[in-house]
Amino acid sequence: MRAALACLILGLTTDSSCLAATTGYRDAVLGDGPLLYYRFNTNTGNEPNLGSLGAGFDLQYFGTAVRGSMTFAGDAGVAFNSSDDFLESLAAAPVSLTGNPHFSAETVVFVPENGTAGLWAPFLHWGPSDFPPTMRSVYFSFSNNEPREFYAGFYNGGLQTQELFPRGAWYHVVWVRQGGGAANVGTTLYVNCEAVALVNDPQLPSNGATPAVESTAFRVNRARDFDGIRYFTGTMDELALYDRALEAAEVRTHFLALGLGFVLGDMDGNGVLDAFDVAPFELALADRGAYAAAYPGLNPDLRGDMNGSGMLDAFDVAGFEAALAGGGAAL
């Protein structure tokens, strides 16, 4: 089990409810220039867009979504509990997000133990679905009928996570896309700050096709086809969209600002810092490729950066030894 999912705070608790968006997270997102940024913390009216595209891209609420839903740490989100719950922007996507674009999409989302997802239920969607639908619309979403896999792609083609992620936990999910190639090229997907393994979606016919996205209004929790089917039940805390590829360091900054705790120095991903982390720490220093093979999905620069430099290197050895001798360190 990925230690990042355990939401370990000060090494004392594994309550996954600790993740909720903070003021620091808000500032980090706004500092990186999103086009769209929604906090889902309003109780009436449209959901305001805090991004650079402004109020013309505020979201309208439809259905019976529960606003002001708790995210367990004081912040509010929106809970989707039925097929009629979705949001739509007042204006259509700009030209920069059409064709075969560069972009990054980011959300903080929770699916309860009994939560569901249907037909690539989207966190964020834009583009038409009329004939011919292939490659004309974007799906940042769950995979087909499976709320334990994430999908980053387009109508009829893209990538899904190889790993299953348990329900009943909060996730920070970031899709970073370098445009210009096929639907299954140029994508990095981060789940709780760790770049995860992706595979072609086996249920789609055009994973290697080239996107040609067109402009429509943005939608949250609904696409432009299969009304009442493409939706998930769960809570969304934050959502942002950028017209560029975020750097790994920016993703890391956002994740850390959320307050999702993990044990610093936990190099084997078991949720604690102990003597079993010495060998993987040394391995990551000596051979990144071997570490990645032995501990797939774990980010050594995130876990082993003991001095705050943003990367694991020899200058972290003293801090690691001190934390190990002192019984562990945590963020």
Side-chain angles (χ1 to χ4, degrees):
M1 183 69 63
R2 307 168 75 84
L5 305 185
C7 203
L8 211 66
I9 299 181
L10 301 179
L12 299 177
T13 177
T14 56
D15 179 8
S16 66
S17 66
C18 69
L19 175 58
T22 62
T23 300
Y25 176 79
R26 178 202 65 193
D27 293 343
V29 169
L30 289 175
D32 288 331
L35 298 179
L36 306 178
Y37 180 32
Y38 307 106
R39 305 210 70 199
F40 303 114
N41 58 1
T42 60
N43 291 318
T44 61
N46 293 335
E47 188 64 41
N49 173 35
L50 304 181
S52 62
L53 290 178
F57 286 82
D58 289 355
L59 296 175
Q60 294 178 287
Y61 279 85
F62 296 89
T64 57
V66 180
R67 302 172 70 166
S69 295
M70 291 299 295
T71 58
F72 306 100
D75 185 47
V78 56
F80 304 116
N81 52 31
S82 66
S83 61
D84 61 350
D85 298 342
F86 74 101
L87 297 92
E88 183 173 278
S89 65
L90 300 177
V95 173
S96 64
L97 294 172
T98 62
N100 196 351
H102 306 279
F103 63 84
S104 301
E106 174 175 10
T107 192
V108 180
V109 66
F110 174 86
V111 176
E113 291 290 350
N114 62 348
T116 61
L119 288 181
W120 295 272
F123 309 129
L124 183 65
H125 166 81
W126 73 96
S129 300
D130 55 338
F131 186 82
T134 298
M135 294 294 115
R136 296 168 64 200
S137 55
V138 177
Y139 285 80
F140 177 39
S141 67
F142 291 107
S143 189
N144 181 34
N145 295 323
E146 180 51 84
R148 297 183 300 155
E149 297 172 350
F150 300 109
Y151 176 78
F154 306 85
Y155 194 111
N156 273 348
L159 297 165
Q160 69 177 40
T161 53
Q162 180 172 304
E163 180 178 349
L164 296 178
F165 293 88
R167 299 182 183 96
W170 283 93
Y171 295 102
H172 177 233
V173 188
V174 185
W175 175 12
V176 175
R177 182 172 195 272
Q178 298 283 353
N184 57 358
V185 173
T187 281
T188 304
L189 192 73
Y190 298 90
V191 180
N192 290 348
C193 200
E194 295 176 350
V196 298
L198 300 171
V199 295
N200 285 336
D201 191 319
Q203 300 179 75
L204 295 176
S206 304
N207 296 305
T210 301
V213 178
E214 298 178 19
S215 177
T216 65
F218 296 99
R219 284 186 169 182
V220 175
N221 206 32
R222 179 170 292 192
R224 307 196 78 83
D225 62 341
F226 292 99
D227 278 356
I229 297 178
R230 296 192 193 275
Y231 75 97
F232 71 94
T233 55
T235 302
M236 182 175 284
D237 190 9
E238 309 272 320
L239 177 67
L241 179 67
Y242 312 78
D243 61 353
R244 64 182 180 87
L246 289 177
E247 298 178 0
E250 293 173 311
V251 175
R252 182 180 191 271
T253 297
H254 295 188
F255 171 75
L256 293 178
L258 276 171
L260 177 58
F262 65 96
V263 175
L264 194 61
D266 174 23
M267 302 300 291
D268 63 358
N270 70 349
V272 297
L273 170 57
D274 55 25
F276 294 105
D277 293 302
V278 174
F281 182 86
E282 294 174 345
L283 180 63
L285 280 173
D287 189 333
R288 289 298 185 94
Y291 177 85
Y295 303 95
L298 299 188
N299 184 338
D301 289 320
L302 180 69
R303 294 171 175 274
D305 176 24
M306 310 302 291
N307 64 1
S309 68
M311 64 181 295
L312 170 64
D313 56 28
F315 295 104
D316 294 304
V317 172
F320 177 80
E321 292 175 344
L324 188 62
L331 292 181

